Amino acid sequence: VTPGELLCLGSSLALTGLCYYLYKRKARVMARIQEAPKLQVDDNLPALVSAAEGRCLPYVALEGIVLPAQAALTSHYHEGLQGVIQKLLLKEHRLIWNSLARSW
């Protein structure tokens, strides 16, 4: 066994270990999402949120009727299908010029 083969084997094992670690971490997150409690959108929801630790519910599934702020969107492809747009939050990260790669 040559040192080059050992280096390739070691780097392959390290990369496999990293991929497995990332897979297990994402699998734990998915399990928490699938086990999330289902709550109804009603008058009790604000009291439930304010009573939670940090006034935040980490993973919940909300069920209820959604009303559009102005008018519901209608589908061009399926008759009778309507939807609403969720409030969007856009967070821009600060761009730093990389002179070596000549990119932001």
Side-chain angles (χ1 to χ4, degrees):
V1 179
T2 65
E5 291 174 340
L6 288 176
L7 179 66
C8 289
L9 178 65
S11 62
S12 175
L13 288 175
L15 183 61
T16 303
L18 175 68
C19 290
Y20 182 72
Y21 167 76
L22 293 174
Y23 166 76
K24 292 302 278 183
R25 193 171 79 178
K26 296 297 179 183
R28 282 193 302 267
V29 170
M30 285 302 300
R32 285 183 61 196
I33 289 173
Q34 289 177 347
E35 295 170 356
K38 294 182 180 178
L39 302 175
Q40 295 292 326
V41 177
D42 55 8
D43 295 335
N44 298 331
L45 187 61
L48 184 65
V49 171
S50 62
E53 181 181 334
R55 299 187 68 186
C56 177
L57 300 173
Y59 291 111
V60 295
L62 293 177
E63 296 177 340
I65 297 173
V66 177
L67 299 175
Q70 295 174 354
L73 301 173
T74 57
S75 174
H76 295 288
Y77 305 107
H78 301 285
E79 250 180 72
L81 188 64
Q82 292 185 335
V84 295
I85 295 179
Q86 177 182 348
K87 181 179 177 183
L88 298 176
L89 175 66
L90 177 65
K91 181 178 179 182
E92 292 188 30
H93 297 281
R94 191 177 89 179
L95 295 176
I96 299 174
W97 176 255
N98 184 347
S99 62
L100 182 62
R102 296 191 179 268
S103 66
W104 289 98

